[in-house]
Structures are given as C-alpha cells and as structure tokens.
Amino acid sequence: MICYNIDRLDKVFDCNCCNEERLDREAEQYKSMYFTKDSLKEAKKAAASLCSLVEKVVQKDLDNGFAVIRPPGHHAEPGLAGGYCVINNVAVAAAYARAKLGVEKILIVDWDVHHGNGTQSIFLKDPSVLYFSAHRWHGGNFFPFLSNGGPTSIGMGEGEGYNMNVGWTAKGMGDDEYLAVWERLLMPIAKEFNPDLILVSAGFDAADGDLGECHITPECYGRLTRSIMSLDTPIVCALEGGYVRSILGKCVCSVVSALLDRTSAKEGQLEDDEDRRERGDIDVLDTISSTAAKNIRATIAAHKAHWSCL
C-alpha cells in the first residue's frame, strides 16, 4: 500500500461531515501533518499528475519531465501519513510505471534533506526498485527521527542491497560532498543496476539558504541532474521539500535547464576511481569533510557484498 488508507481518507474528507475539528483530530495522529478540506483532493491530483507525466516520458512523447506538485510524498508510509505527505507520489508513479507501462527496473534518487522513510518502507523488499537517498540523519536525531535512515538499512529479503542511505551525521554538507556521493556511490551502482526509468524525489531543502542547514548551490543541482542523465535513461523529477521560494525557484530552474539540454548527458559524466588511480590522483573522499567521507564509506561498506562495482 503506497498511501495511508484511501478508504479512511475518503471518509474523513467526506463533504457531508468534514469540518475543521475533525480534520485537526485526524492530523494530530501523525508527525507534522495539517489538513484542510481540500488536502485529499490536492494530494490525489498531485499523484495523478505525476503518473500522467511518467506515462508521457515512458511512451517517449517527452524526453524527461519535472512535476511541480504539492503536497510532497516521500514521508508517506504504508498506512501512515507524515511530514506534510498524504500520498507517496513517487511510489505511486513507480508502481504505476511497473504495473501499467511495462517498466521493469526503476531507480529512485532522493536528494531531499530529509530521509524518504515512506519510500524506503514501501520498496524495502522489492529488488526491482533501487532506492537511493542522501540526507541528514544524525543517528535518528533529525526528522523524521527514525533510526532506519542510516547506512545499515540495506533492504530485506529479495530487496537486500537495493535500499541505500547516505545518512549525514553533521549539518553543512555542500556541493563537494554531494558530488562525491554521486561519483563514488550512486553513479557506479546506477550503471550496474541499469534502470529503465529514473524517478527523482527532488526536494531542495538542502540548498544553501534553505531550512536544512546545508549548502548545495542551484548549479550543483544541475550537475547532479546532468550526471544522472549520463545513464541515458528517462528521468522524471517530482518536487518534495524546499521552503524558501526565491531559492527553490533557482534550484528548480537549474534542474529543468539540465533536463532540457540534450548535451547534458555528455557533460555530466563524472570521473571514476580507475581514472583517478591511473593519473595518481588522491581519493575524492580525502578532499571533502572527514565526517562526510566517513558517512559515505559506511554506506559503501554496507553494500560491498551486493555490488561488484564497489
């Protein structure tokens, strides 16, 4: 189940008995939730519009896409709302792509500053969906305040190895740290996984000047996008967090510009470890914050047994 009980929601938001007091009582059961009478309607529209965009991209009517939708979705777990999320938009789109559009393997990249606990929970046992997230974690002491956002949460059963978390244990991560994650971890594994579709939970609250106390620049978000484009796989981004509108606009613009640029894929290719070794260059992890390097190495160690590229 990829959103919390729709039947329950329909009853709560029934126009004949929906009132502010009832909505407040419902919202109080979850972390960081607030409902208005239109919340369910807007959540359904957001998920449906993302599915429509994914369909157009998969059917090659569009090269790539960016869904500017709210409410966000990546905190919505099976049977549980949270973090402003009612329906898990990206999870719904992934399920739709597999069930209705014939897509076999999907990579979900989540660069929101918060862990997408809902998306992780939904696909934890599913080897056809590789979930990758880089986020502030602090051992579970950062929202959503769960211990399972760290490097050792690697999936379960057949899905073991297909759930990857780079959980930062300090604030202040910026361009260099995220580019290092892409170079050392995401891109090698993405190439080995070889997805048919890439969905990005594109939250921008790790942007410099937003509320996440990190320092990713709009230009870096463009570089991260171009790097993913080098896989030559259709990409659809869906807006998640991002709370300072002036900054959010610049970040979205940078990503959309990359998606529109047909030369982006070639420009976005990052060096791999072999290239660096041949030139005698130092390890990229030795050039960034020592805390960040430790966090990245912990994720590599947790997944080494599952991916030959590591």
Side-chain angles (χ1 to χ4, degrees):
M1 195 172 180
I2 47 189
C3 59
Y4 92 94
N5 195 288
I6 286 293
D7 291 335
R8 176 189 175 96
L9 283 173
D10 285 333
K11 290 177 182 177
V12 169
F13 286 88
D14 184 281
C15 60
N16 295 319
C17 55
C18 178
N19 58 64
E20 187 173 334
E21 183 180 350
R22 185 177 186 185
L23 293 177
D24 287 345
R25 286 201 306 270
E26 181 70 15
E28 286 171 359
Q29 300 177 65
Y30 311 102
K31 292 179 184 176
S32 301
M33 288 302 298
Y34 174 76
F35 290 132
T36 72
K37 62 182 179 62
D38 294 321
S39 292
L40 178 58
K41 178 177 69 175
E42 298 305 325
K44 286 182 176 181
K45 283 182 178 179
S49 65
L50 180 58
C51 289
S52 177
L53 179 58
V54 166
E55 183 170 2
K56 285 178 170 29
V57 170
V58 169
Q59 293 180 345
K60 301 188 185 305
D61 295 328
L62 299 171
D63 294 328
N64 301 298
F66 193 114
V68 183
I69 52 176
R70 287 278 171 84
H74 72 154
H75 293 307
E77 298 189 37
L80 191 66
Y84 310 139
C85 303
V86 180
I87 296 174
N88 195 313
N89 303 314
V90 166
V92 169
Y96 179 76
R98 292 190 59 228
K100 300 295 185 181
L101 304 176
V103 176
E104 293 184 1
K105 294 192 296 181
I106 298 172
L107 168 63
I108 297 176
V109 177
D110 191 335
W111 65 45
D112 191 280
V113 80
H114 304 99
H115 181 227
N117 56 293
T119 312
Q120 171 176 285
S121 178
I122 290 162
F123 297 115
L124 200 61
K125 299 179 180 180
D126 190 343
S128 67
V129 177
L130 172 58
Y131 177 67
F132 185 96
S133 178
H135 53 271
R136 286 184 66 183
W137 175 54
H138 302 261
N141 292 308
F142 192 77
F143 190 91
F145 304 112
L146 298 171
S147 61
N148 64 2
T152 58
S153 295
I154 64 171
M156 298 175 62
E158 293 183 353
E160 190 170 304
Y162 293 89
N163 188 81
M164 310 193 72
N165 292 311
V166 176
W168 303 127
T169 55
K171 62 184 179 180
M173 302 305 173
D175 294 3
D176 291 343
E177 287 74 27
Y178 276 80
L179 289 168
V181 170
W182 258 233
E183 180 178 325
R184 283 297 307 272
L185 197 54
L186 174 58
M187 294 309 298
I189 287 174
K191 289 174 184 176
E192 186 172 335
F193 181 62
N194 192 26
D196 304 304
L197 174 67
I198 299 171
L199 300 175
V200 180
S201 278
F204 296 98
D205 36 12
D208 189 33
D210 208 300
L211 304 183
E213 297 180 289
C214 289
H215 304 295
I216 306 178
T217 63
E219 293 74 20
C220 184
Y221 281 115
R223 287 190 66 185
L224 300 179
T225 304
R226 286 192 291 274
S227 179
I228 299 170
M229 289 176 70
S230 71
L231 296 169
D232 198 25
T233 302
I235 300 172
V236 178
C237 302
L239 186 62
E240 297 279 1
Y243 304 100
V244 179
R245 285 184 293 177
S246 59
I247 297 168
L248 176 61
K250 292 176 183 177
C251 294
V252 171
C253 184
S254 181
V255 172
V256 171
S257 295
L259 292 173
L260 288 170
D261 185 357
R262 293 179 181 272
T263 65
S264 284
K266 293 180 180 179
E267 295 174 356
Q269 293 186 23
L270 299 175
E271 291 185 306
D272 58 26
D273 289 344
E274 188 173 345
D275 291 334
R276 286 180 178 274
R277 283 195 297 269
E278 286 179 358
R279 291 203 317 270
D281 287 1
I282 61 174
D283 187 337
V284 67
L285 297 186
D286 293 331
T287 69
I288 62 174
S289 152
S290 60
T291 300
K294 182 179 179 180
N295 298 153
I296 295 169
R297 288 189 172 108
T299 305
I300 292 172
H303 284 273
K304 255 187 172 177
H306 301 281
W307 299 95
S308 61
C309 63
L310 299 180

